[in-house]
Amino acid sequence: ETRRFRAKIEARAKDVRGRKKRAIASKREQRWLHENTKFNFLHLRSLMEQFTDASNVTGHLTRRAFHRAIRNVVPAFGAFERDRLFRIADKDRWNVLSFRRTVEILNLVMRGTPEQKLELVFKLYDVNNTGFINTLDIVRFIKQGWRRHTVLVTKAIDLANSMMRLLDVDGDGEITRAEFAVSIARDPQLLETFTQCIVNNTGF
């Protein structure tokens, strides 16, 4: 009797999980993701299994769950960087992420071209989403991103000023996306500097 009851519970749990997975990503949605990202079907199915485990009852990833999941993908990221990544991924401003939005941001981090990763890095630094980066943005990012280490304000400002001198082509105190791209093209060594935290990995 106990075995029969346990089997019934397990069967029900499997059915609920199956319905949740179908709600998270239909076959049509999986085909769209396969065509519009660099993940193959095998990897997408693996991501969907992990997403199913991590998501809430509505089939969405909360901010806290995203923090836990992304920690395995970019272990160098602290809470501030992970939160910036969540905000970039949350294009719908729902404060939760669908499977599509999660796969899209993972595709950028794990499979993105150097240009796409640079665009992502620019957005990470553009804390106020103005389309520009200024000295205060860089200082804030350094202080928040490196708060697990001791970083003096003066050191953060010095580093920010050095970055501004390298990237602010027209000297107006703000770095545009175009200036960011031009500076990287002019000095390829900057590519490593700004993308060292964007790494390749295999999943959550």
Side-chain angles (χ1 to χ4, degrees):
E1 189 67 31
T2 302
R3 286 183 181 178
R4 192 182 308 170
F5 179 75
R6 185 181 300 168
K8 187 176 180 180
I9 294 297
E10 290 175 353
R12 183 172 181 180
K14 185 177 180 181
D15 179 62
V16 169
R17 181 180 176 83
R19 282 188 277 120
K20 184 179 180 181
K21 285 169 62 178
R22 288 191 293 274
I24 286 170
S26 64
K27 289 185 178 180
R28 182 178 181 180
E29 177 72 358
Q30 292 177 53
R31 284 195 298 270
W32 187 93
L33 290 169
H34 179 258
E35 292 168 0
N36 291 276
T37 69
K38 294 183 180 179
F39 291 124
N40 58 36
F41 281 116
L42 183 63
H43 205 164
L44 283 172
R45 281 195 290 271
S46 174
L47 288 174
M48 188 162 67
E49 290 290 341
Q50 295 172 75
F51 187 91
T52 302
D53 291 333
S55 60
N56 60 18
V57 293
T58 67
H60 291 85
L61 210 59
T62 64
R63 187 185 299 266
R64 180 176 294 182
F66 179 82
H67 275 240
R68 288 196 300 266
I70 206 68
R71 189 179 296 128
N72 296 326
V73 181
V74 276
F77 272 15
F80 178 76
E81 297 100 320
R82 291 195 299 269
D83 198 62
R84 288 292 302 141
L85 205 59
F86 179 90
R87 290 174 181 273
I88 292 168
D90 185 19
K91 299 176 183 178
D92 308 304
R93 298 294 179 264
W94 291 346
N95 209 33
V96 291
L97 298 181
S98 65
F99 184 61
R100 176 183 289 200
R101 295 298 183 224
T102 303
V103 171
E104 285 175 338
I105 198 67
L106 288 176
N107 183 62
L108 282 179
V109 173
M110 299 160 61
R111 299 285 193 269
T113 64
E115 293 76 15
Q116 289 172 326
K117 289 184 178 182
L118 282 175
E119 174 70 12
L120 179 59
V121 171
F122 184 91
K123 290 180 178 179
L124 287 172
Y125 275 84
D126 182 16
V127 177
N128 294 318
N129 302 315
T130 60
F132 300 93
I133 297 173
N134 58 33
T135 304
L136 182 59
D137 289 330
I138 298 175
V139 170
R140 185 186 294 115
F141 194 89
I142 292 171
K143 288 295 294 179
Q144 291 291 332
W146 294 359
R147 63 184 173 186
R148 54 192 176 280
H149 305 296
T150 301
V151 180
L152 297 175
V153 173
T154 53
K155 185 176 181 180
I157 292 174
D158 288 343
L159 181 55
N161 286 331
S162 296
M163 293 169 69
M164 287 296 293
R165 284 193 294 271
L166 286 171
L167 299 170
D168 184 13
V169 177
D170 61 10
D172 67 351
E174 293 180 325
I175 303 167
T176 65
R177 283 184 173 84
E179 287 176 321
F180 197 68
V182 166
S183 298
I184 296 300
R186 186 175 58 195
D187 185 358
Q189 186 64 36
L190 288 173
L191 178 66
E192 182 178 351
T193 301
F194 281 96
T195 60
Q196 60 183 341
C197 61
I198 308 294
V199 298
N200 288 326
N201 208 296
T202 55
F204 286 177

